[in-house]
Amino acid sequence: MTRLRGRLLVLQVLVIAMIVVLVVRLWQVQVMQGERFGTVATETRTREVRVPALRGSILDSSGHPLVRNRTSLVVSVDRGRLERMHDGGAAVLRRLSTVLGVPYDELKQQIRACGPGISRPCWPGSPYTPIPVAEHVKTRQALQILERQEDFPGVTAEIQSRRDYPHGKEAAALLGYLQPVTEQELERREGLKASFSGVDLVGQGGLEAIYDAAMRGKPGLRRVQVDRMGKVIKIDQQANPVPGDILVTSIDQRVQSIVEKSLDQAMKETPKSNGAAAVVLDVKTGRVVAMASRPTYDPSIWVGGIKEKDYRWLLSDKSGKPLVSRAINGTYAPGSTFKISSVSAMIANGSPLNGSYECPSSFTAAGQTYANAGGMSLGSISLHTALEKSCDTVFYKAGFEQWKADGGLKPKGTPKEPMTHMAKAYGFGRRTGIDLPGESPGLVPGRQWKKDLWASMKDTMCRRAKTGYPEMKDQAKAAYAKRLAHENCVEGNIWHAYEAINFSIGQGALLVTPLQLARAYAALVGDGNVRSPRIGWALVRPDGTLVKEIPVPVEGHLPISDHARDYIRKALAQVPVTGTAAAVFRGFDFNVVKVGGKTGTAEVYGKDDTSWFASFAPADNPRFVAVVMVAQGGWGASTAAPAVRRIWEGIYGVGKGDDGKPIKPALPGGNPPARLPVIRDGVAVQ
């Protein structure tokens, strides 16, 4: 009994002690610190929320949308807030998975940071940016998230704008796409950090990248009070976002569609082709009317975040890498389309404009024979006929004689190199400066280029001359490569006769882009000025106020007389009538519009020929230049020229379509819009 009483006494003392502690603590909380805890219980916090601006749309020259905005209910996750939770936000993501019907693992992948070894889906943007995990969310799902914020801390559902491409794949490389802003871009892009809303996307290609700052607008600011659960209870301050500028382009959507369809047909007719491009320029203004590249893709693939399989496909050889625009980044030997530059060099160097020139079936120089295409022999002809019939041997001889006049293998003083300098005057060998990223400068070879190349490659070439190319499986190709390495090791700094001869007809090391060729022809058949083409025409506010018109700079003037240019133009005007493209244009109604142009067939080692046709219309007073290039397309007259014919038929309404009905002209009267479209409330008034 004594032991039991002792235990009960101890228990009583413990109970009394606990009651005393509880009473004391209760007194402290309610009396001593009651006011402070009461304040905490009802405390509100102030937060600043940046509201993204509506991005400006992209319109064609008549005001038709090329890229527009659409609204969508988007659910986003604050990864930083989830990571601060005791379970890393796993419980929140599981509840969100149930509401959205999206697997938990997929949500987890979407919000992880992209990096080395981490494949998509992942988040490539800033870690402080809310990460979109679902769009086109139903209103019922959004309300479940918003009304139960205690179950979904760090998760928001709001209406956001998304890019929409009403014409699908058309002009994809030209328009570009949007992607989340990375930390590196915030630091690299001037002015981006100050105007970044936290959820903005940034232009990552095409016009979206070049005019990103103007189209992005300025974000708004909301200073709000929220309770401890994160619910907004009061708005203290609100500054509305300023919508971005609308970009009006010189692209004509009707012409663009014609060009796209014509390229599709050309690619279909040449299954071996791995790429094609087309450019239509306004000769009078230097603006781009249409530009297309093949292969292409649907830019909507980027909207809402690109999937890993789609991203890998875009970068794969199997897809043909459609992110690369063949119109501005693809470089190819231009073949006979380049003869406008060579004949200009001949005239500028003293060759008589109305002289007589021999056109034998072949030309021999420095121990090597160069044949005319098809073994053609025309006897004594004019430069007019040399262009019309594309006589190679006339240009072979001119290229060789100019090389010899400069001293041949041992140049005297400073070589004149008329053909090299004329090519550069036409704008070849440098970027056109068009308002698109990723343009290639191409290559104009010459004596100095050869020396510079040799200096950079000598050690490698001499080593390969000894070791050869054992890694190459094709023994014939390996032996050929070894011979080239030996030649370049011993005399790689010398500009040989064969190089000058090949250069004269647009072959050899010469590389141009379709856009470079188009602007060269525009300078020739226009006013002689070499312009830097532009796609952007003007930036306009949503209310129609003109922000600025985008000028087209003049970079130079062709160093030949107007009379010489007119002579060349008239010669080219005969090409579709009695020249190398006559068969292609048989049946074409020249009473509707006269067409001029030049075919080009460029040889490529180990592949089929590159097909070219550079053209202009109307031939008497050119308004447009159209250039088509089809890689591995064969003869210029077999693939590229028919593609250009279809473009002219569509623009001017020549002939009948596949349905047997007359083709309606895309540009009645043959003129693009002369005035900017009228914009009201963010859309064009038609």
Side-chain angles (χ1 to χ4, degrees):
M1 287 295 292
T2 303
R3 183 177 297 174
L4 180 60
R5 287 175 184 170
R7 288 178 179 176
L8 288 173
L9 181 62
V10 171
L11 184 60
Q12 288 175 348
V13 170
L14 288 174
V15 170
I16 293 171
M18 290 175 64
I19 292 173
V20 170
V21 170
L22 183 61
V23 170
V24 170
R25 182 58 184 159
L26 200 59
W27 179 77
Q28 286 180 329
V29 170
Q30 291 189 343
V31 179
M32 297 295 293
Q33 296 178 305
E35 185 176 349
R36 184 172 73 85
F37 281 107
T39 301
V40 171
T42 59
E43 180 186 49
T44 61
R45 293 179 174 85
T46 300
R47 289 183 182 173
E48 286 189 354
V49 180
R50 283 186 172 265
V51 183
L54 184 67
R55 191 174 181 87
S57 55
I58 303 177
L59 308 179
D60 84 341
S61 56
S62 297
H64 301 115
L66 300 174
V67 183
R68 61 191 176 191
N69 298 304
R70 58 175 172 78
T71 56
S72 174
L73 259 176
V74 178
V75 171
S76 302
V77 172
D78 184 342
R79 188 179 69 206
R81 188 169 179 186
L82 263 59
E83 288 175 344
R84 291 192 294 271
M85 298 177 183
H86 69 280
D87 63 348
V92 174
L93 284 182
R94 292 189 186 281
R95 287 192 288 269
L96 186 60
S97 169
T98 302
V99 171
L100 298 178
V102 177
Y104 166 79
D105 289 338
E106 185 175 326
L107 289 176
K108 197 171 181 181
Q109 285 181 324
Q110 282 183 271
I111 67 171
R112 63 182 178 168
C114 291
I118 298 178
S119 60
R120 292 172 187 263
C122 58
W123 177 243
S126 169
Y128 309 109
T129 300
I131 303 170
V133 294
E135 61 176 32
H136 302 302
V137 174
K138 295 178 180 178
T139 304
R140 175 180 54 81
Q141 295 171 309
L143 288 175
Q144 288 185 63
I145 295 169
L146 295 174
E147 291 177 353
R148 294 163 48 201
Q149 275 292 286
E150 64 277 8
D151 292 334
F152 298 99
V155 182
T156 60
E158 58 186 0
I159 294 177
Q160 294 182 12
S161 66
R162 287 288 186 265
R163 282 316 224 187
D164 181 53
Y165 304 89
H167 303 287
K169 297 180 179 181
E170 293 187 3
L174 179 153
L175 296 171
Y177 58 95
L178 303 179
Q179 275 284 274
V181 180
T182 64
E183 286 292 294
Q184 293 79 8
E185 283 170 323
L186 279 176
E187 298 297 332
R188 187 178 73 249
R189 292 205 185 191
E190 186 177 351
L192 179 58
K193 203 169 195 178
S195 62
F196 181 52
S197 71
V199 294
D200 281 325
L201 300 176
V202 68
Q204 290 284 11
L207 297 174
E208 292 278 24
I210 295 298
Y211 295 101
D212 178 69
M215 289 194 291
R216 195 181 336 114
K218 297 180 180 179
L221 178 65
R222 290 175 62 201
R223 186 172 285 110
V224 298
Q225 291 185 14
V226 298
D227 62 15
R228 62 189 183 86
M229 299 302 297
K231 292 183 178 180
V232 177
I233 59 176
K234 183 182 178 183
I235 299 176
D236 287 339
Q237 181 183 348
Q238 181 164 322
N240 293 326
V242 179
D245 295 337
I246 294 170
L247 176 64
V248 180
T249 71
S250 55
I251 298 296
D252 187 287
Q253 180 53 43
R254 297 162 296 183
V255 178
Q256 183 71 33
S257 292
I258 291 167
V259 169
E260 300 275 357
K261 291 174 183 175
S262 186
L263 273 193
D264 283 338
Q265 186 171 335
M267 293 289 284
K268 185 178 180 180
E269 293 171 351
T270 52
K272 292 181 69 174
S273 177
N274 59 356
V279 179
V280 178
L281 286 184
D282 186 334
V283 171
K284 306 295 185 185
T285 66
R287 297 190 184 278
V288 179
V289 179
M291 180 185 289
S293 174
R294 289 293 180 276
T296 186
Y297 73 104
D298 189 342
S300 63
I301 200 172
W302 297 97
V303 179
I306 190 170
K307 296 179 180 178
E308 173 66 14
K309 65 180 183 63
D310 295 330
Y311 186 70
R312 289 184 180 277
W313 178 82
L314 285 177
L315 302 179
S316 69
D317 291 332
K318 187 177 182 180
S319 71
K321 299 181 179 178
L323 294 179
V324 178
S325 171
R326 269 64 173 180
I328 66 167
N329 190 256
T331 56
Y332 312 85
S336 291
T337 60
F338 181 72
K339 287 175 181 174
I340 62 165
S341 177
S342 296
V343 76
S344 297
M346 292 168 62
I347 296 168
N349 197 47
S351 296
L353 193 61
N354 297 310
S356 182
Y357 300 83
E358 293 302 314
C359 178
S361 60
S362 64
F363 174 75
T364 300
Q368 194 167 343
T369 299
Y370 305 85
N372 229 339
M376 175 176 58
S377 178
L378 300 177
S380 183
I381 61 174
S382 65
L383 285 178
H384 182 290
T385 304
L387 289 169
E388 178 190 342
K389 302 296 184 180
S390 200
C391 178
D392 290 337
T393 49
V394 168
F395 296 93
Y396 290 151
K397 183 178 180 181
F400 175 70
E401 288 182 345
Q402 289 182 8
W403 172 82
K404 192 166 60 173
D406 280 337
L409 296 175
K410 299 178 180 180
K412 307 168 186 177
T414 302
K416 290 175 62 178
E417 295 190 275
M419 288 194 178
T420 294
H421 290 301
M422 184 60 70
K424 292 180 179 179
Y426 266 97
F428 298 118
R430 68 175 187 271
R431 295 177 179 86
T432 68
I434 190 173
D435 46 348
L436 289 176
E439 185 183 13
S440 172
L443 173 64
V444 172
R447 292 181 183 271
Q448 188 58 49
W449 165 80
K450 198 73 186 295
K451 290 179 181 178
D452 294 341
L453 181 65
W454 183 71
S456 64
M457 297 291 293
K458 180 183 177 183
D459 292 343
T460 301
M461 289 296 99
C462 291
R463 176 170 53 83
R464 284 293 191 176
K466 294 179 180 179
T467 64
Y469 294 81
E471 70 275 13
M472 294 178 68
K473 296 180 180 179
D474 189 319
Q475 295 300 312
K477 288 184 178 180
Y480 177 70
K482 186 177 181 180
R483 286 198 303 272
L484 282 180
H486 175 74
E487 178 183 322
N488 288 322
C489 172
V490 176
E491 51 184 32
N493 61 328
I494 298 175
W495 181 244
H496 292 274
Y498 73 85
E499 292 173 296
I501 291 171
N502 283 326
F503 178 65
S504 72
I505 62 162
Q507 291 281 179
L510 175 66
L511 295 172
V512 308
T513 68
L515 179 62
Q516 286 176 331
L517 192 66
R519 85 153 169 176
Y521 272 75
L524 174 71
V525 303
D527 58 6
N529 286 328
V530 179
R531 292 177 169 83
S532 177
R534 289 293 181 273
I535 299 171
W537 187 1
L539 290 167
V540 181
R541 296 298 302 147
D543 63 3
T545 303
L546 177 65
V547 178
K548 73 170 182 176
E549 189 166 337
I550 300 163
V552 179
V554 174
E555 294 188 339
H557 191 82
L558 295 180
I560 56 174
S561 68
D562 292 348
H563 178 62
R565 288 193 300 103
D566 196 51
Y567 179 93
I568 297 170
R569 177 189 60 78
K570 288 179 179 178
L572 298 179
Q574 287 300 117
V575 170
V577 182
T578 55
T580 54
V584 177
F585 281 86
R586 186 176 294 118
F588 186 90
D589 191 349
F590 291 110
N591 291 321
V592 177
V593 61
K594 293 180 180 179
V595 174
K598 185 74 192 74
T599 54
T601 305
E603 296 179 359
V604 183
Y605 179 73
K607 297 181 180 179
D608 287 354
D609 296 341
T610 302
S611 178
W612 287 92
F613 192 61
S615 184
F616 53 89
D620 295 335
N621 184 22
R623 184 61 201 254
F624 301 109
V625 160
V627 169
V628 168
M629 180 284 306
V630 182
Q632 300 199 80
W635 288 89
S638 65
T639 307
V644 172
R645 172 175 173 159
R646 291 190 292 268
I647 292 172
W648 292 136
E649 289 173 341
I651 290 177
Y652 289 98
V654 181
K656 295 181 179 181
D658 295 336
D659 57 2
K661 296 180 181 179
I663 298 173
K664 293 181 179 180
L667 298 176
N671 293 308
R675 297 180 180 178
L676 289 167
V678 177
I679 308 293
R680 291 177 186 166
D681 298 324
V683 296
V685 179
Q686 303 296 333

